Amino acid sequence: GQGCQNGLVSLFVHFSTSGSRFLGPGQPKVLCTTAAGTVVDGKLETVKAVRKRGVDGRVRGFEEIPHTGRNGWINLLKFWRENRFQQLHLHMERTFNALGPIYREKVGTLSSVNILLPADISEMFKSEGLHPRRMTLEPWATHREIRNHRKGVFLKNGEEWRSDRLQLNKEVMMSAAVRRFLPLLDDVAKDFCRLLEDRVEREGRGAEEAKRSLTIDPSPDLFRFALEASCHVLYGERIGLFSSSPSLESQKFIWAVERMLTTTPPLLYLPPRLLLRVGAPLWTEHATAWDHIFSHAEARIQRAYQRLSSSQGSGTVAAGGLYGGVLGQLIEKGKLSLDLIKANITELMAGGVDTTAVPLQFGLFELGRNPEVQDRVRQQVKRSWAQAGGDPQKALQGAPLLKGTIKEILRLYPVGITVQRYPVHDIVLQNYHIPAGTMVQACLYPMGRSSQVFEEPLNFDPGRWSVSREEGQRGEVMGFRSLAFGFGARQCVGRRIAENEMQLLLMHILLRFHLSVPSSEDLQTTATLILQPKTPPRITFSKL
């Protein structure tokens, strides 16, 4: 996800009238400007020279960027009528193919410049400034304001965002924090696999018990796994979702997160305050979902807080050196107020279930329909696990193909389909002038499937992310192509939890089961706030 920054400025893309997937015959040559310069007929020129001269003596104006229609309200109507909200990722892919590697779009009150080439994305991130901003999710922010809840880092900007974020990083991003919570994730992943083994033995087909197999839709179990793992890391306690009758309270939380994610996109294009005033059902549904998320998190936080207070009073935490989860660490450090801790823990909870459970569905499906890839990853995992002596960190370090598998899943099925920034100064992209403060979106779904960016983009190939392959590929520096968790200071704050959670679960599944799929047809996908399969794939788990 970080990408190599060094030398990124030397990544050039040269579109000619013939070879480009984006440009039809007879269209003029498009130049890709980067910090280092622009390739024009094979010669490198500095940005200054290109800015002075442009394609025909000038940099083209913002208004000249290809667009999908100037009237945002007409565009919004089209989005509603053609159900484009659910197909936004495919709409973006079609639009890039029609208009080229940059276009403007206005939908309702929202305007953006959309890009997909790594060299342009590099420019976007270089101009993000000390306090990077991404698009504020106004429906979320409005909910916090009308309910008098504090905002977590996801909804903050400026210096306030930076100071809170630096405190959170110490407990969720730094390698010392990862070492503390990795064993907790490992425990949950192992328990998940034990339960799955029991289920295959009980319900599976096959004469010999050792060779039984079971075909199921694992998505409900993956959602429970993600919530159990998140709670274990955040609160330092298990909530018992793997029992034979998991609590209705937790199931309601999972439903509330799904409703919140589904109702967010349509609300992004309309003023939330207006919808609140007219009592729009969509707004009511959204706010009710958030209320449920907050009450669930509040109850968990209160319980954990009481547990920590009593154990601190009796001195057991210090004596036993027990890890009290991210919540315990933040309370103990005392750098954030309890209100701010609650706000951030709630955001991490709400953002940590679907965003790992859904990629795991896609991952099991792709490993199931690519048996050779599955075998390669399993062989590496087996070797690494045998040498690690039960240490999950060592096991992951010795199996880089696992990390490549997660990157590959998120290349083809990015959880969030865009990453946004607002440049702090004017920039030039594709030889068009972009004023400071414009929302620029890197569109991850079309980029991940573009033959301009990836060789054989539709092949599921975790090996493409190996260091030797990346360095050797056409002599280019291959940064800014894996951005599912964002980049830089504003990258996903739960990234380390999510990456490790997914890798550990896949590792333990591959050690115990062979995966196959009843149907290897491509999955149909839909976009709520995150990319999901329209119908969860069925997976066959066969005991090894």
Side-chain angles (χ1 to χ4, degrees):
Q2 285 290 330
C4 297
Q5 288 183 81
N6 301 339
L8 248 164
V9 289
S10 61
L11 181 58
F12 312 112
V13 187
H14 183 202
F15 290 101
S16 69
T17 48
S18 56
S20 168
R21 175 176 163 222
F22 298 113
L23 301 175
Q27 291 197 35
K29 198 169 288 183
V30 177
L31 312 174
C32 179
T33 57
T34 70
T38 303
V39 176
V40 185
D41 297 327
K43 297 190 190 98
L44 176 63
E45 303 199 328
T46 65
V47 164
K48 266 185 192 154
V50 171
R51 280 186 181 153
K52 239 183 255 168
R53 191 183 47 70
V55 178
D56 49 8
R58 67 190 178 90
V59 166
R60 297 185 179 279
F62 182 78
E63 290 297 317
E64 295 177 73
I65 298 172
H67 60 83
T68 57
R70 293 185 192 280
N71 189 312
W73 300 109
I74 290 174
N75 285 344
L76 182 61
L77 275 172
K78 276 187 197 160
F79 265 62
W80 282 106
R81 208 172 49 232
E82 295 167 21
N83 203 15
R84 272 190 219 164
F85 291 116
Q86 280 77 31
Q87 298 299 306
L88 188 57
H89 54 306
L90 302 175
H91 162 73
M92 286 173 171
E93 192 172 41
R94 283 193 299 268
T95 309
F96 281 119
N97 283 335
L99 298 182
I102 184 169
Y103 71 90
R104 285 187 295 133
E105 184 144 69
K106 185 163 191 191
V107 181
T109 53
L110 206 65
S111 296
S112 66
V113 170
N114 293 356
I115 56 175
L116 91 162
L117 294 175
D120 294 335
I121 295 169
S122 158
E123 286 295 293
M124 176 186 85
F125 281 119
K126 277 197 217 110
S127 60
E128 69 178 8
L130 185 63
H131 303 127
R133 281 172 59 220
R134 58 181 171 208
M135 182 174 75
T136 300
L137 297 179
E138 289 299 341
W140 297 19
T142 302
H143 173 266
R144 305 303 185 271
E145 288 154 18
I146 62 172
R147 295 287 194 264
N148 287 320
H149 290 310
R150 298 294 292 274
K151 289 176 184 169
V153 290
F154 193 86
L155 294 170
K156 281 185 174 176
N157 288 305
E159 190 48 52
E160 195 187 13
W161 161 78
R162 190 172 179 80
S163 63
D164 289 3
R165 175 71 196 236
L166 290 172
Q167 295 306 323
L168 277 178
N169 281 352
K170 291 172 189 170
E171 305 312 329
V172 292
M173 292 292 280
M174 303 292 193
S175 49
V178 175
R179 275 197 300 278
R180 280 195 292 269
F181 64 66
L182 213 58
L184 280 69
L185 292 173
D186 195 46
D187 285 347
V188 181
K190 286 193 279 205
D191 283 357
F192 177 93
C193 289
R194 274 195 289 271
L195 275 168
L196 189 54
E197 275 186 318
D198 291 347
R199 192 172 164 192
V200 172
E201 278 169 26
R202 260 196 339 270
E203 302 169 29
R205 306 165 74 114
E208 297 173 57
E209 197 172 304
K211 296 284 182 192
R212 292 244 166 102
S213 68
L214 179 68
T215 303
I216 53 168
D217 160 16
S219 62
D221 301 308
L222 293 172
F223 279 103
R224 283 203 290 272
F225 161 76
L227 183 54
E228 183 82 11
S230 284
C231 287
H232 201 17
V233 169
L234 294 176
Y235 306 130
E237 66 171 357
R238 295 291 292 268
I239 61 170
L241 282 178
F242 294 162
S243 69
S244 51
S245 51
S247 74
L248 187 60
E249 169 211 9
S250 297
Q251 191 52 56
K252 281 183 179 166
F253 177 82
I254 291 169
W255 289 332
V257 171
E258 285 177 5
R259 288 319 302 150
M260 179 274 288
L261 292 172
T262 306
T263 51
T264 298
L267 291 169
L268 294 176
Y269 304 95
L270 297 159
R273 296 269 171 186
L274 175 67
L275 297 174
L276 172 64
R277 270 205 296 277
V278 300
L282 186 66
W283 169 258
T284 308
E285 193 180 356
H286 183 74
T288 307
W290 267 122
D291 291 341
H292 200 94
I293 291 164
F294 267 83
S295 62
H296 181 276
E298 174 75 25
R300 288 267 154 226
I301 290 165
Q302 285 298 341
R303 274 177 47 179
Y305 185 60
Q306 283 160 6
R307 192 184 76 246
L308 290 160
S309 302
S310 63
S311 59
Q312 277 172 343
S314 61
T316 52
V317 170
L322 294 172
Y323 175 56
V326 173
L327 178 70
Q329 295 291 116
L330 290 170
I331 290 171
E332 203 180 313
K333 298 277 169 63
K335 292 278 169 63
L336 291 177
S337 71
L338 195 55
D339 274 353
L340 281 178
I341 292 172
K342 280 182 188 173
N344 283 294
I345 291 286
T346 305
E347 278 181 12
L348 282 164
M349 279 281 293
V353 179
D354 298 53
T355 50
T356 49
V358 171
L360 284 166
Q361 290 179 49
F362 286 125
L364 294 173
F365 170 75
E366 286 293 354
L367 288 167
R369 75 165 175 173
N370 291 281
E372 313 81 14
V373 173
Q374 182 186 155
D375 288 343
R376 263 202 314 280
V377 181
R378 181 182 291 104
Q379 291 316 314
Q380 197 180 72
V381 162
K382 271 184 164 173
R383 274 198 308 275
S384 184
W385 181 248
Q387 289 162 5
D391 179 338
Q393 191 161 28
K394 275 189 188 157
L396 293 185
Q397 283 166 348
L401 275 178
L402 262 181
K403 192 165 193 172
T405 299
I406 301 300
K407 280 184 160 185
E408 193 69 343
I409 295 162
L410 294 173
R411 174 182 74 81
L412 288 166
Y413 310 101
V415 175
I417 57 174
T418 67
V419 177
Q420 321 84 32
R421 289 295 184 270
Y422 296 80
V424 295
H425 53 75
D426 291 14
I427 57 174
V428 174
L429 297 175
Q430 291 295 323
N431 213 49
Y432 292 105
H433 173 252
I434 313 291
T438 304
M439 182 168 83
V440 181
Q441 295 200 108
C443 300
L444 305 187
Y445 182 90
M447 176 177 79
R449 290 163 181 260
S450 166
S451 55
Q452 297 287 327
V453 182
F454 294 98
E455 281 181 10
E456 300 185 42
L458 298 183
N459 283 5
F460 184 75
D461 176 15
R464 78 169 76 237
W465 300 101
S466 71
V467 176
S468 56
R469 283 266 293 276
E470 287 199 45
E471 282 174 352
Q473 224 168 19
R474 300 189 302 277
E476 294 171 349
V477 179
M478 306 308 279
F480 294 99
R481 305 183 316 147
S482 178
L483 293 167
F485 292 105
F487 175 80
R490 191 116 211 192
Q491 67 187 290
C492 168
V493 71
R495 173 183 192 153
R496 299 284 173 241
I497 300 173
E499 283 177 330
N500 287 293
E501 187 182 315
M502 292 191 281
Q503 285 181 66
L504 285 166
L505 186 67
L506 288 183
M507 176 175 82
H508 287 298
I509 285 175
L510 289 171
L511 287 169
R512 289 171 168 82
F513 302 99
H514 179 270
L515 306 169
S516 53
V517 287
S519 165
S520 60
E521 289 286 301
D522 286 351
L523 292 176
Q524 298 293 301
T525 50
T526 180
T528 57
L529 195 60
I530 65 171
L531 191 71
Q532 305 186 54
K534 269 187 183 166
T535 307
R538 290 174 66 74
I539 311 291
T540 302
F541 295 87
S542 307
K543 283 183 70 177
L544 284 174

